[in-house]
Amino acid sequence: MTSSGRTSETGHRYGVLAASAVVVVAGTLGLIVLADAATESDGLAAFDPELTADAVSHRTTVLTAIARTLTFIGSAAVLIPLTVVAALVLWRWTRSLRAPAVLVLAMIGSTVLTSVLKALIGRARPDAALVLGPVTETFAFPSGHTLNSTVFYLTLAALVCERIDSRRTRTAVLGVAVVISIGIGLSRVYLGYHWATDVVAGWTVAIVWLVIVLNAAAFIRNRLDQRRDGPAPAAEGSPPH
């Protein structure tokens, strides 16, 4: 790689890191605001009862079937085996443990974040009479379905896109992952399992965690590549060190 090429690549990396830092800081601050609103029932959380009532009033047979399907594919019963299968497929496809490890570690971290935040905030769910399905007694904030499914589908999409050259195909893959993640989050409000701020918090935490994981993975990969390639050869005629 030429000197100008290395400079351009370095500049791109710094740009990505700067943008990622902004996302992490903004997301963390946003989460704090949402958590405070959820515990005090003010701010954005003050609109939660109205939004839930509006979602309930628009229930139909078709929408309920769609919402239940989306909630199902965002459940632990589906995400756990999907993570295992996806990790195996990535390993066979890439012939490397890097991509499977990124996916698995992202999901482990997502699960831990869900449990810790739920315990810290301790927010009650909407009234059980509003729930379309089995009632759960766990805390509401953040939505675990939303957080874990967003991390899974977007991480998987990002890892797949690394192996795809076509920009149109990459856009389509990411688009599908985003639509699924949004749909799962909305289904949790529609079915009465979560307040809207629980879902927004789930998306927020997922994005922050996803940015951290993917940047850490890229950093480790770059360091390994540098060790494998070794130091750049000295230019001809340059004095020995």
Side-chain angles (χ1 to χ4, degrees):
M1 182 181 294
T2 64
S3 176
S4 60
R6 289 195 184 95
T7 301
S8 176
E9 182 179 350
T10 301
H12 174 72
R13 288 178 183 172
Y14 282 129
V16 170
L17 285 175
S20 299
V22 171
V23 171
V24 171
V25 172
T28 302
L29 293 175
L31 176 64
I32 293 172
V33 171
L34 288 169
D36 179 71
T39 54
E40 300 294 335
S41 296
D42 58 8
L44 293 176
F47 298 97
D48 280 340
E50 180 181 348
L51 291 172
T52 296
D54 188 55
V56 169
S57 69
H58 286 86
R59 285 174 175 172
T60 66
T61 303
V62 173
L63 288 177
T64 297
I66 294 173
R68 282 175 169 162
T69 299
L70 288 168
T71 274
F72 176 70
I73 65 175
S75 65
V78 171
L79 290 180
I80 291 174
L82 269 184
T83 299
V84 174
V85 172
L88 290 173
V89 171
L90 287 170
W91 173 65
R92 291 295 301 273
W93 186 20
T94 64
R95 295 296 180 182
S96 168
L97 290 176
R98 189 191 71 85
V102 169
L103 180 61
V104 171
L105 290 176
M107 291 306 295
I108 291 174
S110 174
T111 302
V112 172
L113 283 170
T114 300
S115 300
V116 170
L117 289 172
K118 281 181 181 291
L120 285 175
I121 306 304
R123 190 187 196 188
R125 292 176 181 265
D127 193 289
L130 298 175
V131 177
L132 289 180
V135 176
T136 179
E137 299 299 329
T138 58
F139 292 124
F141 186 101
S143 165
H145 275 66
T146 304
L147 199 167
N148 294 316
S149 62
T150 299
V151 169
F152 173 78
Y153 290 109
L154 290 185
T155 302
L156 180 60
L159 293 171
V160 169
C161 285
E162 287 182 353
R163 314 288 294 187
I164 298 176
D165 295 327
S166 169
R167 177 175 296 181
R168 180 176 299 179
T169 304
R170 292 199 302 268
T171 301
V173 170
L174 287 172
V176 170
V178 169
V179 169
I180 291 175
S181 301
I182 292 174
I184 291 172
L186 295 179
S187 75
R188 303 304 287 167
V189 177
Y190 178 90
L191 294 175
Y193 284 102
H194 284 284
W195 305 107
T197 46
D198 302 334
V199 171
V200 175
W203 286 326
T204 302
V205 178
I207 292 171
V208 169
W209 178 237
L210 183 63
V211 168
I212 292 172
V213 168
L214 293 182
N215 273 281
F219 174 78
I220 294 172
R221 180 181 61 187
N222 290 333
R223 292 299 298 269
L224 292 176
D225 288 344
Q226 290 174 3
R227 289 184 179 181
R228 183 189 63 217
D229 296 339
E236 185 175 349
S238 60
H241 295 288

